[in-house]
Amino acid sequence: MKVTCEYSKMGSNHVFVRFSHVINKEINQFIREVYKTLIIKQPKGFIEVYFAYSSLTVQFDLTKTSYKVMKKDISQIIGDTTISKITYGNEIIIPITYNKETGPDLDYASDYLNISKDEIINIHSSGQYMVYMIGFLPGFCYLGGLDSRIHLPRKKTPRVLIPKGSVGIANSQTGIYPLDSPGGWQIIGKTNKKLYSPNDEQPFLLIPGDIVRIMKT
Amino acid sequence: MIRNVLKVINPGIYTLLQDNGRIGYRNFGVPISGAVDKKALNQVNYLVNNPANSPCLEILSVGIELLTLDDCYIAFTGANSTILVDQKIVKSYETLLIKKGQLITISEIKSGLRTYLGVNGGFVSDLYMGSASINEQILIGNRLKRDEILSTYNSHNEIDIISLKRPDYTNHYRVIVGPDIHKFSSIEIKKFFKNSYKVTTKLNRMGISLYGEVISHIDSADVLSHPVIFGSIQIPADGQPIILLADGQTTGGYAVIGNICDEDLYKLGQAKTGDLITFSKING
C-alpha cells in the first residue's frame, strides 16, 4: 500500500503528520506501525507520540533536535514502513446491558432509524469492532466497524453528565465512556467493565488495534 | 528524612499539587497536566533550591491559609498577589525562611490567577503515571483539603536567599498557524490576528473560551479528530476561539487555526476572566 502524508508544525515542539481526512482501516494500521517504530527507535530528541484515526503527532525536545531534523527522522520511518495485512491486538469481550435506564437514547434511535429497539440492540451487540484510537478521555476508545443501519448523529446539545460505562454512537463510530463526563454521543447501553483504572499498573483495558466483541447481558 | 512542614487551615478555592506533568500517556487519552504556568513552577523551584520538576502547590486566586509546623524555606511565584505571613506582607519571587507557628495567607490578587508555592525539598506526593500532578476529573488525586498535612523530603540544610524578576505576563501570544488552516479563508485568518479576544467565565485547567469577532469556516468547523496540544486554538461552529490548556483533551474534532508557541504558553496560566488577549502570527 502506498501512503502519502502532509507535515505541519504544531506549536514549537510537535510535528503533526496527516495521512488522510477520512477514516480508513489500512491507514490506521499504517499509523499504528509508525507509532511502534517511533517508540522503539526513539529518534534523537523524541519525547512522545500519539495518534488519532488518520494522523499522528510527535513531541520533541527543542534543546536536542529541531522541527526540520525530527520531520526528517519521522519521514524516514514512514518511508521504511510497509504493511501487507491488517493486524489486530487482543480480543476483549465487553458485557453490555441495553435498556431504557442504561440507554436513554434508544427511543430516539428507534424513531430516527425507523427500526425497533430490539433490532438496534441485536445489530449493535452482534458487531465486531476495532479500537482505532484513544482520545477525549483516558481510555475512551473510538471503535470502528459500526453497521451502517444504526449510524446516528451526535446530539445537538451535549449532555452535562454521561455516567461511566455508557455506550454511545456518533455517526459511524461507537464508543464507551470510561469516566463520568459531559458528552454528545447517543447513549444506547452500559457496561460494568472498567476501561480505566488510574491506580493499576496497567490502567487501560483496551489499546488501539484491539478487537471488541459484545456480550449482551 | 520526611518532615511535616505545613498544615492546611483553609485550602482556598482550588489548590492542587502540580509538577511539569505526565509524559507518554497521551496515546491513551491522558492529558499532560502539570502546572498551567510552568515558568512559575520552574522559577519557584529554583528559588527554593529544588530540581525544576519538583511538585509545588498551584493556588487558584485567594483565600488559602497555611500554618507552618516546622521552619522551612518557601517561595511564591506566578500571580501578582498579596501574600501575608502573620499579617505582614512578604515578597514573591524571593526565598523566604518561615518559622514554626507562622500563618501564611494570600489575601489579594492584583493581576494574574495562579500563585505557586514551593518548599525546599519538594512536597511529598504520590506519583501517578510518573507525575505528581493532580487531575481530579480523571480520578488522579485530590485537591488540597482542610487539615491536610504537607511534608517535604529535606533536612535542615541552610539555603541561599535569592530573588528573581517576575517575567512579562502581557496577554499577547505568538501563534504558529495550522494544521487546519485550510478551513479558513485568508480574510478570516487576518481577522483572527487583528482583533482582541476577551477571556470569558468558561475558564479552567482544561481550556479558556474566548469571546470576540466571530471567525467563520469555509465549509464547517468539523475535522476528523486529530491530536491537539497545550496551546491549540480551536474554532468551533460558533466561531469563538477556545485555547486548550494543560488538562486539555488529547484529541479534538474542531478545526485548529494554530498553536501558541512554547515560549508564550506559561502566560496562559495567568489569563483570567475579563482579560483581553491578542495574537500574532509567527513562522516558529
Side-chain angles (χ1 to χ4, degrees):
Chain A
M1 188 182 83
K2 186 148 169 54
V3 168
T4 57
C5 60
E6 58 178 43
Y7 295 85
S8 52
K9 198 169 175 184
M10 203 176 212
S12 309
N13 56 1
H14 289 72
V15 180
F16 178 78
V17 192
R18 177 147 42 203
F19 296 85
S20 170
H21 288 275
V22 294
I23 302 172
N24 175 293
K25 209 171 196 174
E26 283 76 28
I27 286 173
N28 185 259
Q29 163 77 18
F30 187 87
I31 291 172
R32 283 190 277 127
E33 293 298 328
V34 173
Y35 169 84
K36 275 186 225 153
T37 313
L38 277 163
I39 300 267
I40 294 163
K41 284 207 169 159
Q42 302 262 332
K44 192 179 173 205
F46 169 89
I47 294 179
E48 182 172 14
V49 54
Y50 55 115
F51 62 86
Y53 286 109
S54 303
S55 58
L56 65 81
T57 199
V58 174
Q59 186 186 6
F60 59 89
D61 183 343
L62 272 167
T63 65
K64 296 193 178 113
T65 186
S66 64
Y67 173 73
K68 225 175 129 183
V69 173
M70 184 49 83
K71 182 182 154 186
K72 206 175 133 240
D73 291 342
I74 298 167
S75 70
Q76 207 144 48
I77 287 171
I78 289 172
D80 292 343
T81 304
T82 50
I83 57 160
S84 45
K85 61 173 176 41
I86 306 288
T87 55
Y88 300 104
N90 296 319
E91 191 173 304
I92 313 271
I93 293 168
I94 308 268
I96 295 177
T97 309
Y98 302 89
N99 62 40
K100 246 193 161 84
E101 282 73 45
T102 62
D105 294 319
L106 273 173
D107 281 332
Y108 163 82
S110 174
D111 283 351
Y112 180 86
L113 300 166
N114 205 20
I115 51 177
S116 75
K117 283 183 271 186
D118 284 343
E119 209 168 335
I120 294 169
I121 293 165
N122 282 334
I123 294 169
H124 190 266
S125 61
S126 58
Q128 175 185 294
Y129 306 101
M130 189 185 85
V131 179
Y132 275 78
M133 59 178 277
I134 302 177
F136 174 55
L137 288 171
F140 189 103
C141 299
Y142 290 77
L143 303 172
L146 184 67
D147 192 305
S148 60
R149 284 174 294 171
I150 56 170
H151 289 186
L152 292 167
R154 279 190 174 81
K155 294 191 92 66
K156 282 205 181 77
T157 312
R159 278 198 175 85
V160 176
L161 180 72
I162 293 184
K164 175 173 89 175
S166 292
V167 178
I169 291 176
N171 304 311
S172 64
Q173 320 160 89
T174 181
I176 306 163
Y177 283 81
L179 290 165
D180 289 351
S181 153
W185 292 31
Q186 307 285 353
I187 304 303
I188 60 159
K190 201 174 165 196
T191 180
N192 292 326
K193 192 113 177 167
K194 256 187 149 175
L195 280 92
Y196 168 62
S197 320
N199 297 316
D200 291 2
E201 190 116 334
Q202 176 44 266
F204 311 100
L205 177 69
L206 298 166
I207 61 167
D210 283 349
I211 293 294
V212 169
R213 286 180 190 281
I214 291 164
M215 188 176 75
K216 204 163 59 172
T217 58
Chain B
M1 190 186 83
I2 288 177
R3 189 155 80 87
N4 294 339
V5 284
L6 295 171
K7 183 180 175 183
V8 181
I9 306 299
N10 182 340
I13 295 168
Y14 194 51
T15 304
L16 303 171
L17 270 175
Q18 294 293 338
D19 56 18
N20 265 332
R22 290 191 170 86
I23 293 170
Y25 291 91
R26 278 188 283 184
N27 206 47
F28 305 101
V30 180
I32 54 167
S33 297
V36 190
D37 180 350
K38 293 201 168 68
K39 180 169 272 187
L41 174 92
N42 298 340
Q43 287 186 319
V44 87
N45 276 320
Y46 176 79
L47 290 167
V48 293
N49 201 32
N50 287 345
N53 189 33
S54 302
C56 296
L57 292 180
E58 180 182 276
I59 304 160
L60 187 74
S61 193
V62 298
I64 193 166
E65 293 177 346
L66 302 167
L67 178 68
T68 313
L69 301 177
D70 201 355
D71 298 4
C72 57
Y73 290 97
I74 65 166
F76 297 90
T77 58
N80 182 6
S81 45
T82 304
I83 299 150
L84 305 172
V85 172
D86 283 348
Q87 300 303 316
K88 278 201 210 89
I89 293 178
V90 296
K91 280 187 185 165
S92 53
Y93 288 92
E94 190 172 283
T95 320
L96 307 166
L97 175 60
I98 308 288
K99 300 284 186 183
K100 185 178 174 178
Q102 290 194 306
L103 188 71
I104 303 160
T105 57
I106 298 179
S107 65
E108 186 198 6
I109 300 267
K110 295 188 203 95
S111 64
L113 184 62
R114 296 179 175 95
T115 304
Y116 292 84
L117 164 59
V119 65
N120 172 239
F123 289 108
V124 175
S125 53
D126 294 327
L127 289 187
Y128 309 86
M129 296 178 234
S131 164
S133 293
I134 305 300
N135 184 340
E136 288 186 329
Q137 205 223 347
I138 62 165
L139 312 180
I140 292 181
N142 294 297
R143 69 184 74 186
L144 210 63
K145 295 222 162 58
R146 189 177 297 271
D147 294 333
E148 195 172 329
I149 307 281
L150 298 165
S151 23
T152 75
Y153 291 106
N154 75 343
S155 57
H156 290 267
N157 294 334
E158 266 187 48
I159 64 166
D160 291 338
I161 303 291
I162 51 173
S163 62
L164 287 169
K165 197 172 161 281
R166 186 171 187 259
D168 170 41
Y169 280 101
T170 316
N171 269 314
H172 179 76
Y173 298 89
R174 291 165 292 173
V175 173
I176 298 154
V177 296
D180 303 319
I181 199 76
H182 59 279
K183 298 291 270 185
F184 306 94
S185 70
S186 59
I187 293 165
E188 296 300 312
I189 297 165
K190 275 201 191 102
K191 207 200 275 178
F192 174 76
F193 287 108
K194 209 184 75 192
N195 289 285
S196 56
Y197 286 87
K198 201 175 221 168
V199 176
T200 66
T201 53
K202 277 199 225 155
L203 159 67
N204 55 30
R205 284 182 41 89
M206 295 175 71
I208 298 177
S209 289
L210 300 176
Y211 181 80
E213 198 73 32
V214 167
I215 304 300
S216 307
H217 305 82
I218 288 170
D219 45 13
S220 78
D222 298 341
V223 294
L224 183 62
S225 276
H226 64 62
V228 287
I229 63 174
F230 182 6
S232 287
I233 306 165
Q234 298 180 318
I235 311 285
D238 67 3
Q240 300 292 355
I242 298 168
I243 307 174
L244 299 178
L245 302 186
D247 286 351
Q249 59 196 69
T250 55
T251 60
Y254 294 134
V256 171
I257 194 167
N259 295 278
I260 293 169
C261 77
D262 201 47
E263 296 90 332
D264 292 347
L265 286 180
Y266 74 95
K267 298 193 221 172
L268 291 168
Q270 304 301 344
K272 66 164 184 284
T273 303
D275 284 358
L276 280 177
I277 282 183
T278 54
F279 301 102
S280 63
K281 187 174 155 181
I282 57 161
N283 292 326

